[in-house]
Amino acid sequence: MKRIFQLAAFLILLYPLNNALLGQEAIDSLESALLIVEDDQEKLEIYEGLIRGLAQQNPVKAVQYAEDALELVQEFPDSVLLPDLHNAVGIAHYYKGNLLISIEYFLKARVGYELLGRDDKAANTLNNIGVTYEEIENYEKSKEFYFESLKVHKRLNNLEIQTAVYNNIGSTFEALDQLDSAEYYYNKSLELAKDNNPDENMANALGNLGNVHYKREEYTKALDYQRRALSYDLKNNNIIGLVETYSSMGLIYLGMNNYNRAYESFNKALSICKEHDLKSREAELYENFSDYYEKLGDFQNAYIFYLKHTQLKDSIFTLEMRKQIEDLQLSYQANRREQEIALLNERNNLKDTQLQLQTTKTRLLLVFTIFTVFVLGLLILNVRVKGKANALLQKQNEKIQQQNQELEDRSLKLEELSHEKDNFINVVAHDLKSPLNNITGL
């Protein structure tokens, strides 16, 4: 059983997460926060984290949260969180086995991310769409989406997600029995996983390398890889991983004719599937049980389990559903064109508005410039008039000062003349007095 890595959105503002898998403590924390947070936008962020965190561990509960979140998000149709929520809802329905619903939400998420210019997250949804196509055994289509996703993440140097996408590319080659190519991509995933988020990525790469060795009938190597993968699955309580690993180990034990261990492994995987309502994986396990009973020579039970397998698989996925998925892809392409046209019209309207605004600004600037020049002209003229008035006033002051000086000089001269006159009169009077005295004496 191939282990396919389903990428989650990597945005949750209140509780930053680097991995799609959450521990129970983190889940409990988010659920507690959901009860006390009043802001609806924050609630949407918490729902998105819970849906991602529970998608593999408890798909039924994840879908329940998805329904609550979708009802709440109707109040915020333009929220930037909407694509993240659509992607998380798609993941929850994928693990629940609702493939048609999952791809519908992945396509919605892709449109939303592209409109927001989020190439990284749009590339994540490309991977998720590829996973869904692989589930319906359209391997060429799934490879197309995987390689497109890988191209973007290489450009963005996102090593952790490259790890996951390499693993998924390998799984398509494995499905096509191109085992050398599958092993090549699984090893590339394993090399990157050692340095980038090793737990889940390591489990996926190890489990799938085990599948390659199983198909080559190298059972000892295959079992070693699966046991190593199982240790990571148990550590992370990865429900989907545990189902896939136990199922793969059962097939290996069956190849080694260890029937008791094979039955025990299949039964563990089936119990988990029934507990968590994992219909698509339950259908695959019925096929494994059919192979198990056939190898034991119990053809009646082999036939019964084969019927269970086909009936359950047909109830999950039909040719009609394949056509519906293809129609959804066509609908996405048409919707994308409509979105692009709407976006182009919006940009053109924005350009027209900006042009009008720029024209208005230019006119206002011109008026302001003319007004400024006019005011400056008045100021300069005023300065010049004041300058001339000051010069004339200074000249007048100088003339007055000169006249004052001349008056002062004349006044001084008059005083001198007056003084001389007084002296002359005194002298004359004295001179006349003496002769008169002489005359009187005679």
Side-chain angles (χ1 to χ4, degrees), residues 62-220:
V63 169
Q64 289 174 351
Y65 279 128
E67 291 172 354
D68 293 340
L70 289 172
E71 183 177 351
L72 178 61
V73 82
Q74 291 178 8
E75 300 176 18
F76 307 97
D78 298 323
S79 173
V80 294
L81 292 174
L82 191 57
D84 286 327
L85 182 59
H86 284 160
N87 191 51
V89 171
I91 292 170
H93 279 288
Y94 169 83
Y95 284 118
K96 184 73 166 53
N98 304 327
L99 301 182
L100 187 61
I101 298 175
S102 71
I103 199 168
E104 179 181 354
Y105 280 103
F106 289 148
L107 291 170
K108 286 181 179 180
R110 182 183 178 186
V111 170
Y113 287 137
E114 288 174 345
L115 290 175
L116 291 173
R118 292 302 306 268
D119 292 347
D120 54 339
K121 292 190 174 185
N124 289 354
T125 60
L126 290 173
N127 172 84
N128 294 347
I129 294 168
V131 169
T132 310
Y133 273 110
E134 184 165 355
E135 190 73 18
I136 63 175
E137 301 178 358
N138 190 337
Y139 301 116
E140 293 303 323
K141 197 71 176 177
S142 66
K143 278 198 299 181
E144 177 185 326
F145 280 102
Y146 289 151
F147 278 113
E148 191 176 348
S149 176
L150 182 64
K151 182 180 178 181
V152 175
H153 287 300
K154 277 187 172 181
R155 174 170 57 82
L156 298 175
N157 196 33
N158 194 331
L159 298 179
E160 181 180 344
I161 300 183
Q162 286 181 49
T163 305
V165 181
Y166 275 129
N167 175 81
N168 292 350
I169 293 171
S171 71
T172 60
F173 282 109
E174 181 191 339
L176 295 168
D177 286 327
Q178 299 176 21
L179 299 183
D180 290 341
S181 295
E183 186 177 22
Y184 169 79
Y185 284 105
Y186 288 151
N187 277 318
K188 287 188 73 69
S189 178
L190 186 62
E191 290 169 10
L192 288 176
K194 290 175 182 177
D195 300 318
N196 299 280
N197 190 17
D199 285 356
E200 187 180 4
N201 290 344
M202 285 287 289
N204 288 330
L206 289 168
N208 283 332
L209 282 167
N211 292 338
V212 170
H213 288 292
Y214 163 74
K215 288 187 175 182
R216 290 172 175 164
E217 298 184 359
E218 298 168 352
Y219 298 127
T220 302

Side-chain angles (χ1 to χ4, degrees), residues 216-257:
R216 290 172 175 164
E217 298 184 359
E218 298 168 352
Y219 298 127
T220 302
K221 280 187 178 181
L223 193 57
D224 177 63
Y225 276 112
Q226 295 297 349
R227 284 172 174 164
R228 289 164 63 188
L230 181 62
S231 65
Y232 287 107
D233 292 328
L234 290 170
K235 176 183 175 182
N236 292 293
N237 191 31
N238 185 347
I239 300 302
I240 303 297
L242 287 169
V243 170
E244 292 168 342
T245 302
Y246 282 132
S247 178
S248 296
M249 291 176 71
L251 290 172
I252 294 167
Y253 283 126
L254 193 60
M256 299 171 72
N257 297 325

Side-chain angles (χ1 to χ4, degrees), residues 340-358:
E340 288 174 348
I341 291 170
L343 185 60
L344 182 61
N345 289 334
E346 185 178 341
R347 286 175 178 171
N348 288 336
N349 291 335
L350 182 61
K351 284 181 180 178
D352 291 341
T353 304
Q354 289 175 337
L355 182 60
Q356 290 175 1
L357 183 61
Q358 187 62 38

